[in-house]
Structures are given as C-alpha cells and as structure tokens.
Amino acid sequence: MSIQQTEQSKPSSAGPGAASRSGQRLNAERIITLIILAALIVVPVAAYYGDARYWVDLATRLVILSIAATGLNFILGYGGMISFGHAAFIGLGAYAVGIPVFHSINDGFPLIASNNGFLHFVLAMAVCAVFALLTGAISLRTRSVHFIMITMAFGQMTYFAIVSIEKYGGDDGLTIDLRSEWPLITFDHPLVLYGFCLASLFVVMYLVHRMVNSRFGMVLQGAKQNEERLRALGINVYNYQLTAYVISGIICGYAGALLGNFTTFISPEMMDWTRSGELMFMVILGGVSFLFGPLIGAAVFLLLEESLSRFTIHWHLPFGVLLILSVLFIRGGLSGLLQKLGGARDR
Amino acid sequence: MDTSLFIIQTLNGLQLGVLLFLVASGLTLTFGIMDLVNLAHGSLYMIGAFICASITLWTGSFLIGILLAIPATALVGLAVEMTVIRNLYPRDHLDHVLATFGLILCFDTLVQIIWGPEGIAVPLPKWMDGQVLLPGGVVFASYRLIIIGVGLAIAAGLYFLVVHTRIGMLIRAGASNRTMISALGINIKALFTGVFAVGACLAGLAGMLVSPITGTSIGMGNEIIITAFVIIIVGGIGSMKGAFVAAILIGLIDTLGRSYLDDVFKLVMNAEVAETAAPALSAMLIYIIMALILAFRPQGLFPPKTR
Amino acid sequence: MTADAMAPILRIENLCKSFGGVTATDAVGLEVLPGETHAIIGPNGAGKTTLISQLSGLLMPDSGHVYFKQCDITRLAAHKRAHAGLARSFQITSVFMQMSVLDNVALSVQARAGHSFHFWTPARTIRKLREPAMEKLEKVGLQDRAGDITSSLSHGERRQLEVAMALASEPDLLLLDEPMAGVGTEESARMVDMFKSLHGMTMLLVEHDMDAVFALADRISVLVYGRVIATGTPDEIRSNQDVVRAYLGEET
C-alpha cells in the first residue's frame, strides 16, 4: 500500500500472488516517483536559464514545504499524533536565522549575532528540539482531540510571543537583510539555494524512511494502531512518542531556517494556526504514512494555489471546496488514489 | 488602583465572557454529542454578524436585523449540516479538522464576494447607544450592559433547556454516552441537525451582538473559534456548565490580564522589562491556562458525568 | 535444578478481592507446575476474569500473595510482569491491524529484546527478530499468512496470532484468557490442535469451552463463587461430586 508496507512483504516470504501484487505497486509508485524527481531537477534549472524565475521560486517553496510536511508526516502519518501547532516550529526556525542576522547588523546580543549558516541551522534545530521537548512532554500526556488542541495552544502561544516582541518587528515581521553564509556556496544564487533545499529534502526523506522502518519506527507505528497492546508488551510508549515529536520538530525547524533564507522576510503570520492547518492538509492530501505523500501533497497544494489564484482572486473558495471534497471522497490521500486507479489496491 | 476602572474592566471582561459563552455553548454541544471538531463554528459567528449588519443597514433597525438574522443563520447552519457536516460524524477528528478548515476558506471567501473585503460598521439605535451611571459612580456603556444581560438570560434559558426538558435530557445523555441515545430509539439524525442549528444560532447571535462594537470583518470568526475551543477544553467537553464558567473565567482573565499584568509585573521587575513581557504574557495567558488544565486535569473543570 | 523442577512456577496463596460487598475472589489458593496445562473453569460470575486480572497485574488483590518463580509479584505493575516472563493473551483480540502478521510477532520479539531506540537498521531485515517470530507463527500454524495484513485475518486466526505474540515474549507462563471465545466450531477444533502442539509449555487456561478444557488440561481447578472447590486431573474432576453438583450439573 505504501512504500513502507510494500517492503514488508519482501522479506516475509508471502505467497507468489502477494509478491506479484507488490511488484505491480512498486512499479506504479516508482514511475510517479521518478517523474517527480526528474521534474524537481529539470524544471527549476530550465526555468532559471529560460529566465522564468517564478518557477524557480515556486519549486523552492515547494521543496521547503515538503521538508516540513515530511517532518509532520513522521508523527502524524506514522505515529498518529495529530499536531495542530507545527507552524510554530517553522516560525521558530525562521527566526533562528532572522534574529542572529538582525543582531549582527544592528549590534547587541553578541552571543548569537552572526551570519554563519552553521550557527543559524544548529540554532534553529536546537531551539525547536527544546521547544518540542517541553511542549511534547506536556502534550503527550493527553490523547485524541485534547492533543490536537494543546498543540494548537502551544502554537498560538509562540505566535503571540513573537507578535509581542517589538524589537524583532512584532506583528510587522522582520526583514532578513543577509542570508546565511557558508563556505564555498552562497544562498544568494537562486539555483544554489534551490539545490541546497532539494538535497536537504532528499536527506530528510531518506532519514525518515530509515527511521520509520527501523525498530523505533515499528514502535511508533504500533503506537498509532494499538497503544494499549504496546504497553502490554512492556514498551513505554510515551518515551518513543516524545522522541518522535522532538525529531519532527527539528525537521520543521530546519525547514523554517530554509524558509527564512528563501523569503528573506519573516513574520508571526507564518506561525498562525491556519498555517498549521495548511501543513496538515498537505500531509493528508498526499496521503498519510506514504514517504512521498507530503511531497505530492505540497506540490498539489502549491500548484492549486498558484493556478486558482491566477484564475480568480477568490481562489480560496474552490480551494476550500476541493479540500472538503478530498476529505469526503479521497480516503488515503492522493497516493492512495493513484494506487486505486492503478488497480493495485487490495481493499 | 483605580476602583472604577477596575469595575469597568471587570464588566468588560464579563461582556467578553458572555459572548464567548454564546459561541462556546454550541461548540461544546456539537463536540460533546456528535464528537465533531467543528473549526467552522466561528464562520457561523461571522455569517450571523454580516447578515445582521446588512439587514440593519437596509431596514435601519438593529433589532429587526437581529430578529431576521437569527433564522437566516439557522438556515445556513442547517444547509452546512445537511451537505457537509453530516457526512463527517462517522469520520475521525483529523477529517473533521480538515473538512471544516475547508469550510472556513469557503465561508471567508463567500463573505468577501458578497460583502466585499471591507468590514461593515453597524450603527446602534439611539436608545442603546448611551452610558449609564452605575452605583459607585462608575460610568459604563449601556450597550455592553445589554450584551451582558442578554447573554446571561440566554445562559439561563439554555440551563433550563438542558436541565429541565426532555430534549435537554437527551442532550445530556448524548454528551455523556453517545450509544445511549441510539438505544433510546431517538431519531439521532434529526437531533444532531437540530443541535447543530441551535449552535449555529447562538454563535451567529454572538457575532450580531459584537458587531456594533467592533464592526464586522472577514476572519472575525477565526480569532474567536480558537478561544472558544480553549473554553470548552478548560470547561470540559460537552458540559454546558463548564462552558459557562470557563467562558466567564477566560473573558475576565483575558481582559484583566491585558489591563493589569504590566502593573503586576512592575512590582517584581524593572519597568522596561515589564512593558515587553506583560503584553506577551497577557496574549498567551489563556493558552497557558489551557495547557495547565490539560496537563493536570485533562478532562476539564466540569466534565459531563459518567463519560 | 531437579529440586526446582517440580517447584510450582505460579503459586497463589489465600488471594482475596471484593468489590463493595461482593467477594469475587475468596481465599483462592492454586499452584501451576512447570510444563503443565492448568485450566480454570467455573460457571459465569465465578470470578475467573477477576482472578486472571490479578495475575496479570490489571487488578490489585485486597490480601493474599501471588508468587511467580518464587518471587512475590502480588503488587508488581503489569508491564513488569510481562518482562518477568508472564505473558497474557487477551480475551478481546488486541493486535496491530495495519501491520503484517509477521510484523506483529516480530514487534513482540522486539519488545522482549530490550529498548527500541534503534533508528537505522530496517527492523524487517533483522534476523534475530524475524526468525523467532516466524518460528512462533509456525507453532500456532499461521506461517502461510505471515506476509498478509493482519486485518485480513479471521477471528480465530487473530486469536492464533495473539498466542504467537504471547509466545514471542518467551514466557515462563502463558495466561490464556478464554482463547476460544467467539470462535466458530471448525476454528476452535483447529485451535485445540494448536494448543495440544504447544503442550510442554506452562499454561494457565481460563475457558468456557468444556470440550477444549478436557482435551487440553493436565489439571483443572474449579472456581465457584470466588472459591476453588476442587483441583485435579480431568478424570478426577469429572467424578467429583461437588463439581458435578455445583457446575457440571447445570450444564447437562
């Protein structure tokens, strides 16, 4: 059904029927995956040299959002933890770039004043790790809708905290005057920035892929399906979920640091609960617990947004309708739908 | 401390509290009975406000505006329930969140198409638009007092409905034990639709009442809905009493926090730090309360019995 | 070792539990010997479920003691009992529906093997998890379904999977809480065969299905109103007048 579930029939010596079925699935998914990967590499390069900067920017945004969505999918899709506050991690990651740069230009706070990319990204991930550890430790004491609401509450707290810090622009946001500086490369070149983001996406996806199939991943997925049973097996579910939550926060913080470098303007608005909702939507749209789901979801989301907003300024209306229809009629997300159309779904 | 200012701020907090209760009461019912997470509940608050504003401008009477807008909002609620919401009951919370998030996008855009991107200022009738002298020499806007009165009256009415009528018995039964109402042989579909429509009316009424003070605006529902969720979680999901107590509490804490937190902070830290920290903390205050409640008493202050 | 061999694995002494005024467990004493299949039977409301809940740690007794491998586990938390080697299969089937059958058992092996903070090696390629898991599936006769998704299993097969998962934790004692409940006649015959093939493993079986109990048990204890009124071999129980009066009489 998914990449991860396709693989499970490989070592398990299932009957010949199952093997050929999984072969079919693998093909359908491989083709789509290859098309996406090819497009991600070819389109921005061609667009850049064809003077269509718009497409480079769109692709960069897509890739960054895909990283964040992959981070969310790790706990939402695989772990069943419906976090409604993940935009906060993206925002914190972005401010972890913006604030050091602000100080390196405007003096003050010499401890973190820097344009160094290593510092920015390490700071982004560290801040998000700590934030995730603190909020996760409390949130994971709750279940179901309470978890949704408490993660949302922590997201809103962060939003209001940033709004009220006028030094960093408060409500009006903060312009990042300099991008993160690295040895050898410069983020000021759009293709370099894009390449960095794309490479990051691949690394993150590979890491997530390894993790969800590891022993840790088995526990994480087990907790989604039957937490009680896991406890009866003698596993302390809380520790594993909290670890996953922190990892997810770190990934989103990393995406946030990239986003700050890309937009060079950050504001609390990027942490609003509606942003968290959009991120969640990308994950669901793509299909939860599919490795490529978040990428597909983010791509469809952005393309819809771009094409509909060209067609009408009221693009939110058809967008909302599509969102409702997709919830009501496409179960398992687009990845699931693709497989259904391919006739390879056995349910 | 200035006593009359404190009284005014307390009354303001009370007024915010009753408005929040109107929104939260419908939310806690739909949540408690149908187990529905309805983010679009705030949209009904917005729709109510806009319909009422239009009718008020058209007829010149705020009262007629309210009287006509209530059934109109109920109709919108019915339409939404029968087309979208009804299909969501058997789904999980994730689907609820996403689909109702889609509804918000639709409603926000529809309102923008119909009424334009600007909000509407709603004029108050002369007789409501004055000030009253309260005992103790406090001068307070009479319309705000009216809101408090209307809100408390509706709260009392709802309390009577829920505690003393057969419908209310079903609602309470449903909030504490969902399978029970089906066992009683009640037409659940109709009950759900009815409860949803009543919730829509209450949210819409809150929007109508607030519009002469703040005007109507797109997105007004998205701010209040989150606060309403905070309230029903703090109060205990499905509990009318909890929604009321928590709404008043949150209304007071929010209002008083915004006006007095910096003074309190100045007692323990220097003025400059206090002036940055206080607004931040007062904006975060209700979320902090909710996080504390969830961490230490996840079922809320007044959970429905036998849940 | 020889001296230990006949020492009981599980010893229950004078166990009491009451709810309000109702005595659900009344001074129960019981010994389960290594390698035996010991069945607990009794009419409805005899307190079988209460008793097994106290053994697995879901309920705490009011008084009395439970010794497991000579250690007092009366107050030990449920998950620690699991680690100590006391495994339980659930009356209500509790498995991981969206995983493959083999994954379920492998996860149980994994839980036994220590903590799971391993992020890199794909769990499905780890032979020391997969091979014992497959072996357990063969023991319960589910090896042909190893690669199938668990939700596609029949009710009886899920029960077999439960048992395989319990076996995977390499228990010294297997608590089986009504494993035949809700299973059709054909499947229950298959399950009786499965349990017969597991003979030699120490098992404490609580079961309603009398045919199954008499086919499987080495010894049977009869519980009536929270009291053990008789313990003995199936033949002894069949001919025990108290039992016939209190219990079997009602059945026939």
Side-chain angles (χ1 to χ4, degrees):
Chain A
M1 280 192 169
S2 67
I3 298 219
Q4 133 258 346
Q5 275 165 353
T6 312
E7 284 182 0
Q8 81 194 19
S9 49
K10 273 197 289 181
S12 61
S13 69
S20 77
R21 220 168 42 231
S22 76
Q24 218 175 345
R25 276 184 229 159
L26 212 61
N27 278 340
E29 262 184 34
R30 255 203 195 138
I31 292 167
I32 292 161
T33 311
L34 286 177
I35 292 173
I36 294 173
L37 294 185
L40 282 177
I41 293 169
V42 174
V43 171
V45 177
Y48 179 74
Y49 290 106
D51 260 347
R53 270 294 298 280
Y54 168 80
W55 289 101
V56 183
D57 286 351
L58 188 65
T60 312
R61 204 146 71 85
L62 163 65
V63 167
I64 294 172
L65 285 176
S66 298
I67 295 173
T70 303
L72 179 58
N73 190 33
F74 182 57
I75 58 163
L76 194 157
Y78 295 100
M81 292 171 254
I82 307 175
S83 165
F84 201 178
H86 256 50
F89 293 108
I90 300 179
L92 286 176
Y95 273 88
V97 176
I99 291 174
V101 172
F102 173 85
H103 283 298
S104 87
I105 292 172
N106 298 313
D107 293 337
F109 236 139
L111 205 62
I112 58 163
S114 170
N115 299 327
N116 186 313
F118 291 109
L119 178 120
H120 293 168
F121 280 73
V122 168
L123 185 66
M125 293 193 283
V127 165
C128 286
V130 172
F131 185 71
L133 189 65
L134 293 176
T135 60
I138 300 172
S139 306
L140 284 167
R141 291 166 54 105
T142 66
R143 286 289 169 262
S144 75
V145 76
H146 293 103
F147 183 79
I148 302 180
M149 287 301 146
I150 196 168
T151 48
M152 188 275 303
F154 283 124
Q156 288 296 98
M157 273 188 222
T158 321
Y159 169 82
F160 284 117
I162 300 286
V163 164
S164 65
I165 305 177
E166 278 172 24
K167 182 156 196 173
Y168 305 128
D171 232 347
D172 299 329
L174 181 65
T175 302
I176 302 179
D177 294 315
L178 285 169
R179 293 193 166 97
S180 302
E181 286 169 2
W182 303 92
L184 303 177
I185 59 167
T186 168
F187 274 179
D188 291 330
H189 190 295
L191 267 192
V192 171
L193 179 59
Y194 176 73
F196 190 92
C197 294
L198 190 61
S200 301
L201 174 65
F202 289 156
V203 170
V204 166
M205 279 173 64
Y206 182 65
L207 289 177
V208 166
H209 171 71
R210 292 300 296 221
M211 285 191 288
V212 296
N213 286 297
S214 71
R215 274 166 278 182
F216 179 83
M218 290 295 126
V219 171
L220 184 65
Q221 296 181 58
K224 176 187 181 184
Q225 294 171 33
N226 194 340
E227 202 180 317
E228 281 312 307
R229 177 64 195 176
L230 220 46
R231 284 216 186 84
L233 288 177
I235 291 177
N236 186 340
V237 178
Y238 179 86
N239 292 346
Y240 292 92
Q241 288 185 325
L242 184 56
T243 307
Y245 191 78
V246 171
I247 292 171
S248 169
I250 291 174
I251 295 174
C252 285
Y254 183 89
L258 288 176
L259 194 63
N261 272 293
F262 168 62
T263 59
T264 65
F265 172 75
I266 52 181
S267 78
E269 201 271 337
M270 63 200 288
M271 313 175 152
D272 192 66
W273 67 272
T274 51
R275 293 284 94 76
S276 295
E278 284 174 7
L279 195 64
M280 222 154 93
F281 174 44
M282 289 175 207
V283 173
I284 312 294
L285 184 69
V288 294
S289 64
F290 292 87
L291 185 61
F292 280 86
L295 177 59
I296 296 172
V300 173
F301 184 94
L302 282 185
L303 290 177
L304 269 180
E305 186 180 278
E306 293 298 321
S307 52
L308 289 176
S309 63
R310 253 185 218 187
F311 179 67
T312 163
I313 57 159
H314 301 302
W315 63 274
H316 265 138
L317 183 59
F319 194 78
V321 171
L322 281 173
L323 176 46
I324 295 166
L325 291 178
S326 73
V327 171
L328 291 182
F329 299 110
I330 313 176
R331 307 195 76 173
L334 287 173
S335 309
L337 187 72
L338 283 172
Q339 282 167 344
K340 224 183 276 176
L341 292 177
R345 207 174 160 90
D346 48 0
R347 219 192 294 167
Chain B
M1 194 157 56
D2 184 345
T3 327
S4 71
L5 184 65
F6 180 74
I7 293 174
I8 288 173
Q9 291 295 17
T10 307
L11 285 171
N12 280 338
L14 200 59
Q15 175 245 306
L16 177 62
V18 299
L19 283 179
L20 287 173
F21 168 70
L22 291 182
V23 180
S25 57
L27 199 61
T28 205
L29 284 181
T30 50
F31 207 155
I33 299 175
M34 290 94 109
D35 197 25
L36 173 78
V37 183
N38 180 18
L39 296 179
H41 195 67
S43 297
L44 296 159
Y45 168 85
M46 171 181 69
I47 298 270
F50 271 94
I51 294 177
C52 171
S54 277
I55 300 176
T56 304
L57 294 184
W58 184 45
T59 61
S61 163
F62 182 55
L63 270 188
I64 294 179
I66 287 188
L67 289 178
L68 291 179
I70 288 177
T73 313
L75 282 180
V76 175
L78 283 180
V80 174
E81 203 273 347
M82 297 201 306
T83 50
V84 178
I85 301 288
R86 182 171 285 184
N87 300 306
L88 293 175
Y89 296 141
R91 300 298 192 81
D92 58 20
H93 289 147
L94 190 57
D95 282 351
H96 297 171
V97 169
L98 290 167
T100 55
F101 186 60
L103 277 176
I104 291 181
L105 295 180
C106 293
F107 276 123
D108 281 357
T109 321
L110 277 175
V111 166
Q112 194 173 353
I113 291 172
I114 298 172
W115 283 284
E118 303 294 320
I120 304 173
V122 181
L124 268 180
K126 279 264 156 20
W127 59 273
M128 287 186 187
D129 193 13
Q131 308 234 303
V132 280
L133 188 66
L134 296 177
V138 179
V139 179
F140 193 66
S142 45
Y143 180 63
R144 286 178 189 261
L145 271 190
I146 294 175
I147 291 183
I148 295 174
V150 170
L152 291 179
I154 288 174
L158 278 176
Y159 180 78
F160 179 79
L161 183 83
V162 169
V163 176
H164 294 289
T165 64
R166 182 176 151 74
I167 292 275
M169 189 270 290
L170 292 176
I171 288 173
R172 274 181 296 139
S176 56
N177 186 348
R178 225 160 294 122
T179 46
M180 192 166 135
I181 24 179
S182 48
L184 289 171
I186 305 299
N187 182 346
I188 296 195
K189 234 178 181 176
L191 182 69
F192 281 11
T193 310
V195 168
F196 191 88
V198 170
C201 282
L202 291 169
L205 179 63
M208 298 167 207
L209 289 174
V210 85
S211 57
I213 301 177
T214 60
T216 66
S217 64
I218 292 163
M220 64 192 278
N222 303 347
E223 289 159 29
I224 200 157
I225 184 67
I226 297 299
T227 315
F229 268 110
V230 169
I231 286 164
I232 67 169
I233 298 248
V234 168
I237 291 171
S239 160
M240 203 52 122
K241 181 177 160 195
F244 182 75
V245 174
I248 301 296
L249 204 65
I250 295 284
L252 286 173
I253 287 173
D254 195 50
T255 311
L256 295 176
R258 278 172 210 278
S259 28
Y260 290 108
L261 211 56
D262 55 342
D263 291 337
V264 176
F265 275 17
K266 277 173 191 162
L267 298 176
V268 290
M269 53 181 83
N270 73 45
E272 198 189 341
V273 178
E275 262 160 33
T276 18
L281 198 68
S282 57
M284 290 164 31
L285 208 51
I286 62 169
Y287 299 103
I288 293 171
I289 288 169
M290 168 166 148
L292 287 175
I293 293 267
L294 276 176
F296 295 105
R297 200 179 152 84
Q299 71 276 33
L301 296 176
F302 301 98
K305 289 181 194 99
T306 71
R307 193 179 173 80
Chain C
M1 200 58 214
T2 36
D4 266 8
M6 278 326 276
I9 278 198
L10 184 77
R11 196 168 85 241
I12 305 170
E13 269 180 12
N14 214 5
L15 205 67
C16 295
K17 176 83 187 173
S18 52
F19 301 101
V22 185
T23 308
T25 308
D26 189 1
V28 165
L30 198 77
E31 287 188 344
V32 180
L33 302 173
E36 77 165 340
T37 302
H38 194 124
I40 296 175
I41 61 172
N44 274 329
K48 301 188 294 284
T49 304
T50 311
L51 179 60
I52 206 158
S53 297
Q54 291 171 85
L55 298 184
S56 61
L58 296 180
L59 276 178
M60 289 297 153
D62 298 335
S63 64
H65 291 280
V66 181
Y67 296 96
F68 180 62
K69 294 190 285 186
Q70 270 81 51
C71 298
D72 189 341
I73 60 159
T74 316
R75 310 258 154 219
L76 204 63
H79 70 271
K80 288 191 179 151
R81 294 182 199 215
H83 280 307
L86 200 159
R88 168 185 188 170
S89 87
F90 285 76
Q91 188 171 4
I92 300 159
T93 309
S94 179
V95 289
F96 303 100
M97 289 294 180
Q98 306 308 317
M99 291 185 179
S100 80
V101 172
L102 186 59
D103 283 346
N104 267 270
V105 188
L107 191 51
S108 184
V109 177
Q110 182 183 326
R112 162 92 181 160
H115 72 81
S116 297
F117 286 102
H118 299 283
F119 298 88
W120 198 248
T121 317
R124 296 187 180 95
T125 63
I126 300 173
R127 291 174 62 183
K128 70 176 200 271
L129 299 180
R130 306 304 272 190
E131 281 170 2
M134 199 63 202
E135 187 190 306
K136 301 302 181 286
L137 281 181
E138 279 161 12
K139 274 195 177 162
V140 301
L142 271 184
Q143 66 276 18
D144 293 338
R145 308 225 45 184
D148 294 343
I149 188 157
T150 303
S151 55
S152 70
L153 296 187
S154 73
H155 188 72
E157 286 170 327
R158 288 177 195 176
R159 277 290 154 82
Q160 286 167 271
L161 175 58
E162 272 275 341
V163 174
M165 288 171 76
L167 288 176
S169 63
E170 303 285 350
D172 299 303
L173 172 66
L174 194 54
L175 291 178
L176 296 164
D177 190 2
E178 305 208 12
M180 312 287 178
V183 173
T185 35
E186 201 175 304
E187 284 196 308
S188 87
R190 210 174 66 222
M191 290 186 72
V192 168
D193 287 343
M194 173 193 80
F195 283 121
K196 269 187 183 156
S197 72
L198 292 179
H199 198 266
M201 163 106 231
T202 317
M203 289 184 275
L204 182 63
L205 171 73
V206 171
E207 185 51 60
H208 262 124
D209 183 338
M210 286 303 132
D211 294 338
V213 167
F214 282 93
L216 290 171
D218 299 311
R219 289 200 302 153
I220 297 172
S221 291
V222 184
L223 201 64
V224 178
Y225 295 121
R227 268 178 176 280
V228 175
I229 60 162
T231 296
T233 63
D235 287 338
E236 287 166 4
I237 293 297
R238 242 190 284 263
S239 56
N240 183 311
Q241 287 309 306
D242 288 342
V243 175
V244 173
R245 208 175 317 120
Y247 183 59
L248 295 177
E250 296 171 19
E251 291 274 301
T252 48

